[in-house]
């Protein structure tokens, strides 16, 4: 199965175009005001049109209510919802039924005990995203640029597709994939020159590095 590369937190036409041209499989748009990567519904609509089915559109939300998800559906028509908050298993089921879209549940990881929630989420989610657990005083759950201990995912018995994020960049993505055996990687702050400011050259370098691991495994 081919590796999925997701560039998250895109907010301008230029950087979105870079991600598409460089071959990103998924492009993520953040609908969460505390984040420096937050986009308005209007911007989301504009960027969504630009994608033109060249990649999967991912809407990242954090404990969003139905009205918010409704507005995102209308503006972006995402291919998948990335749920990055404290959403329960029941809430995942509810969102899938109401909005008819696959859901990817972000699971914050700092210790082995954090993986105890997997059986519940795996029964409903279409994909799991392992991310570094944010510090207690953080104002947002992701995009903080710190990796977690990837060895916690070694020998993971998960029938569901999963991706890894948190502190990834062009120089460590190969190692992250080697250790975790993940089928995909998700990067945001690791391709930025400042919080929320994507760097086109860093986007290209990250995708190149991730794809190189695929070529090595094929050989």
């Amino acid at each position: 199965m081919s590796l999925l590369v997701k560039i998250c937190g895109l907010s301008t036409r230029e950087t979105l175009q870079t991600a598409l041209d460089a071959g990103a499989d998924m492009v993520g748009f953040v609908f969460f005001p505390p984040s420096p990567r937050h986009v308005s519904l209007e911007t989301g609509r504009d960027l969504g049109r630009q994608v033109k089915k060249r990649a999967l559109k991912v809407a990242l939300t954090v404990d969003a209510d139905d009205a918010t998800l409704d507005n995102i559906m209308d503006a972006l028509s995402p291919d998948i919802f990335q749920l990055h908050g404290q959403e329960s298993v029941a809430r995942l089921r509810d969102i899938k039924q109401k909005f008819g879209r696959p859901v990817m549940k972000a699971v914050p990881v700092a210790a082995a005990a954090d993986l105890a929630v997997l059986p519940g989420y795996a029964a409903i989610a279409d994909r799991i995203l392992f991310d570094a657990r944010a510090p207690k005083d953080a104002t947002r759950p992701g995009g903080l640029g710190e990796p977690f201990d990837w060895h916690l995912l070694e020998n993971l018995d998960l029938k569901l597709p999963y991706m890894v994020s948190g502190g990834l960049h062009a120089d460590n993505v190969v190692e992250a994939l080697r250790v975790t055996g993940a089928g995909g990687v998700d990067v945001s702050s690791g391709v930025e020159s400042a919080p929320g400011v994507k760097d086109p050259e860093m986007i290209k370098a990250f995708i190149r590095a991730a794809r190189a691991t695929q070529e090595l495994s094929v050989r």
Side-chain angles (χ1 to χ4, degrees):
M1 199 167 133
S2 62
L3 177 75
L4 290 178
V5 180
K6 174 171 173 276
I7 306 296
C8 196
L10 292 159
S11 58
T12 69
R13 294 181 66 86
E14 180 203 6
T15 52
L16 171 57
Q17 196 60 47
T18 297
L20 293 171
D21 291 345
D25 302 290
M26 295 177 160
V27 286
F29 306 101
V30 176
F31 296 92
F32 183 57
S35 170
R37 301 162 190 97
H38 170 69
V39 293
S40 66
L41 292 169
E42 188 179 338
T43 298
R45 189 185 304 276
D46 180 50
L47 296 176
R49 287 190 186 121
Q50 187 180 343
V51 177
K52 294 180 181 168
K53 299 192 182 301
R54 293 180 62 191
L56 294 175
K57 294 177 291 185
V58 183
L60 186 155
T61 64
V62 180
D63 299 312
D65 58 20
D66 284 357
T68 300
L69 296 179
D70 245 334
N71 288 336
I72 294 169
M73 280 291 293
D74 178 63
L76 181 67
S77 186
D79 296 294
I80 184 167
F81 277 110
Q82 178 176 326
L83 307 177
H84 224 98
Q86 304 291 323
E87 298 90 359
S88 66
V89 173
R91 180 62 178 146
L92 261 63
R93 185 185 292 113
D94 198 32
I95 290 171
K96 284 185 70 167
Q97 288 174 347
K98 281 184 180 167
F99 299 97
R101 290 291 191 271
V103 297
M104 172 161 60
K105 181 68 185 90
V107 173
V109 180
D114 291 323
L115 304 180
V117 299
L118 281 179
Y121 285 135
I124 302 297
D126 298 276
R127 187 177 294 276
I128 297 292
L129 174 69
F130 294 104
D131 194 8
R133 181 177 287 284
K136 283 190 170 59
D137 58 351
T139 56
R140 56 186 196 277
L144 301 170
E146 292 297 325
F148 62 94
D149 180 2
W150 300 321
H151 292 282
L152 292 169
L153 301 186
E154 280 184 310
N155 308 312
L156 182 68
D157 183 22
L158 186 64
K159 303 294 185 277
L160 209 59
Y162 64 94
M163 302 178 77
V164 172
S165 66
L168 295 182
H169 48 73
D171 294 331
N172 68 4
V173 64
V174 173
E175 182 68 2
L177 285 164
R178 186 190 69 77
V179 174
T180 64
V185 286
D186 180 5
V187 68
S188 189
S189 61
V191 290
E192 291 179 346
S193 55
V197 182
K198 292 288 184 285
D199 183 298
E201 293 307 315
M202 292 171 79
I203 290 173
K204 289 188 272 192
F206 181 85
I207 295 176
R208 251 196 326 269
R211 294 285 179 231
T213 65
Q214 215 169 347
E215 289 164 18
L216 288 171
S217 65
V218 169
R219 291 173 200 163

